[in-house]
Amino acid sequence: MKILSIETSCDETAVALLEITGERENPKIKILGNSLFSQVALHEQYGGVYPMLAKREHEKNLPILLEKTLTEAGFPLPAKGGAGEGLSVDLIAVTAGPGLEPALWAGITFAEELGKKWGKPVVPVDHMEGHIWSVMYGGNSKLDLPALALLVSGGHTELVLIKGFGQYEILGHTVDDAVGEAFDKVARMLGLTYPGGPKISILAQKSRESGRELNFKLPRPMIHSDNLNFSYSGLKTAVLYKIKAEGRSDDEFKEDVAREFENAAIEVLISKTRKALLDEAGEAKTLIVAGGVAANAHLNAEVHKLIQEFPDLTLKLPERSLATDNAVMIGIAGFIRVQNDLDILNTQSEIRARGNLTLGS
Ligand code: KG4
Ligand code: ZN
């Protein structure tokens, strides 16, 4: 099955062409073409992502990325539109939510126009399902369900029980900021540009390598709470107070703040994941850790330690380049969607952008 996939939920415009064969538990995924354009530099000047600006940029970039993707795959678009020479796409998958609605609409409108032109079905995909199934790529082992997914991105921090393909139950979520958002906000306090997650990670690593002892501790919000929810807004504020109280901005101080922030943020993620595995997700055979923050080296190391406590559990992480937003994961989720419900290909209904879409709804 050949799938063209489109992602425009936030500030990355992405298009991919995949060829997927095999069954949904263990698909063979070939990336024929994959392009991505990040609007980070544009939004950076304004200090945040503006939905209408993102939409305009997506509209501008989508045709360019489509042509790039098809050319990479060896199917250049003919001059007057129509499908690329020799290309037969079976389906178009597009992110319908969650995300910024104007940005989502840009992708949906483009996908539907393409679907009409090519006479192919368009399937809406949940962005978070995309993150979950991003771990399918490059895997050479079957994915056993039920699974527990720790989803960590700029907009989400969730523990999700995956009972079956397409059957999700959210066990816990953040009550305020997402963990990626906290990384970005703390980075800003330390004078680093967006997205701050990777930059915090580099500073924290420098502090660890220095062998310095940390002489302060930040809070681990909700670590002992009786549920699987998270909170990151208090931790962010604690960092702000620390910076104000010390009045320092030297490299050593910044590195230590980054390290202790990272320690605190990740300790809570690990503790809640353990709690879920010991309790509500006790049946899980697989642990999935996905979303942009899954690219974090310290989280990766701590998750590998955690898995040692559960000898029967298999760990699945996305390839590093597929942890942050991309269109490959949307294509994989589209494939799984269709495998679950083949009728979806014949019963085309209008796709709507759903900014607050939640898994399982
Ligand atoms: O999944 P994603 O690309 O977009 C959303 O769906 O939100 O996640 C982006 C988030 C940003 O907050 C970014 O700072 C964070 O992932 N991130 C990281 C790292 N790489 C990306 N956070 C910590 N360490 C990293 N290495
Ligand atoms: Zn994402």
Side-chain angles (χ1 to χ4, degrees):
M1 179 176 268
K2 273 206 194 79
I3 304 176
L4 184 89
S5 53
I6 295 164
E7 155 66 34
T8 63
S9 68
C10 190
D11 57 353
E12 320 274 1
T13 320
V15 178
L17 182 67
L18 308 182
E19 185 166 57
I20 309 186
T21 53
E23 76 275 31
R24 65 185 176 175
E25 289 80 7
N26 193 12
K28 298 279 161 283
I29 303 159
K30 217 161 116 186
I31 300 176
L32 303 177
N34 181 21
S35 9
L36 186 139
F37 182 82
S38 171
Q39 304 175 11
V40 161
L42 176 77
H43 295 288
E44 208 173 270
Q45 321 166 35
Y46 303 97
V49 181
Y50 279 85
M52 291 313 285
L53 191 60
K55 174 180 194 255
R56 245 193 11 236
E57 279 297 295
H58 287 313
E59 284 167 349
K60 197 174 85 194
N61 296 329
L62 279 167
I64 300 167
L65 292 187
L66 174 68
E67 191 170 346
K68 221 173 132 195
T69 303
L70 295 184
T71 304
E72 185 190 333
F75 305 109
L77 274 181
K80 290 214 177 302
E85 202 80 41
L87 168 68
S88 66
V89 166
D90 298 289
L91 109 103
I92 299 166
V94 63
T95 307
L100 306 169
E101 286 201 359
L104 291 163
W105 276 120
I108 292 170
T109 308
F110 186 77
E112 290 199 315
E113 276 168 11
L114 216 52
K116 257 191 223 128
K117 193 152 76 186
W118 292 356
K120 298 297 172 189
V122 183
V123 172
V125 168
D126 181 318
H127 180 84
M128 299 315 287
E129 258 187 285
H131 277 302
I132 289 176
W133 302 124
S134 68
V135 302
M136 291 280 203
Y137 181 72
N140 42 22
S141 62
K142 194 164 159 268
L143 194 141
D144 281 324
L145 297 180
L148 175 70
L150 171 66
L151 301 181
V152 281
S153 70
H156 289 75
T157 309
E158 285 174 350
L159 279 164
V160 182
L161 181 62
I162 306 165
K163 300 175 197 162
F165 285 93
Q167 283 176 278
Y168 309 100
E169 185 191 337
I170 298 180
L171 302 180
H173 57 86
T174 178
V175 297
D176 41 52
D177 292 354
V179 60
E181 192 180 351
F183 266 91
D184 295 333
K185 287 179 175 167
V186 167
R188 214 158 155 204
M189 294 175 200
L190 295 176
L192 306 166
T193 53
Y194 177 87
K199 291 159 196 152
I200 290 273
S201 170
I202 292 167
L203 289 192
Q205 193 50 31
K206 279 191 185 158
S207 169
R208 284 189 195 102
E209 281 165 6
S210 76
R212 282 194 296 277
E213 292 267 327
L214 285 179
N215 59 3
F216 65 96
K217 215 158 161 73
L218 291 167
R220 271 76 174 148
M222 289 182 79
I223 197 160
H224 298 301
S225 73
D226 199 21
N227 53 37
L228 296 172
N229 288 340
F230 303 87
S231 163
Y232 281 102
S233 142
L235 174 58
K236 169 197 75 188
T237 311
V239 172
L240 185 65
Y241 287 158
K242 180 72 192 162
I243 294 172
K244 281 199 171 149
E246 295 282 326
R248 285 172 60 184
S249 61
D250 54 288
D251 287 351
E252 221 170 78
F253 177 66
K254 285 184 181 177
E255 288 163 14
D256 289 353
V257 168
R259 171 177 165 195
E260 174 56 7
F261 163 75
E262 196 178 69
N263 286 346
I266 287 168
E267 202 176 308
V268 183
L269 292 178
I270 296 293
S271 165
K272 296 280 170 158
T273 306
R274 179 188 293 111
K275 188 172 162 65
L277 289 169
L278 290 172
D279 192 7
E280 278 125 298
E283 301 290 294
K285 297 184 175 128
T286 307
L287 173 64
I288 292 170
V289 181
V293 183
N296 183 277
H298 185 57
L299 174 60
N300 195 297
E302 292 302 309
V303 164
H304 276 93
K305 274 190 220 157
L306 174 70
I307 200 91
Q308 304 295 320
E309 298 170 26
F310 301 89
D312 298 330
L313 202 64
T314 308
L315 176 62
K316 295 262 184 189
L317 288 153
E319 259 192 20
R320 223 187 141 87
S321 65
L322 298 186
T324 46
D325 289 351
N326 63 85
V328 172
M329 68 184 199
I330 301 306
I332 303 172
F335 170 79
I336 287 176
R337 198 82 222 262
V338 169
Q339 297 291 309
N340 281 348
D341 176 15
L342 283 172
D343 281 348
I344 201 171
L345 295 177
N346 308 317
T347 52
Q348 279 286 291
S349 55
E350 207 183 321
I351 301 174
R352 279 193 313 116
R354 294 173 64 195
N356 296 319
L357 187 62
T358 51
L359 280 171
S361 69

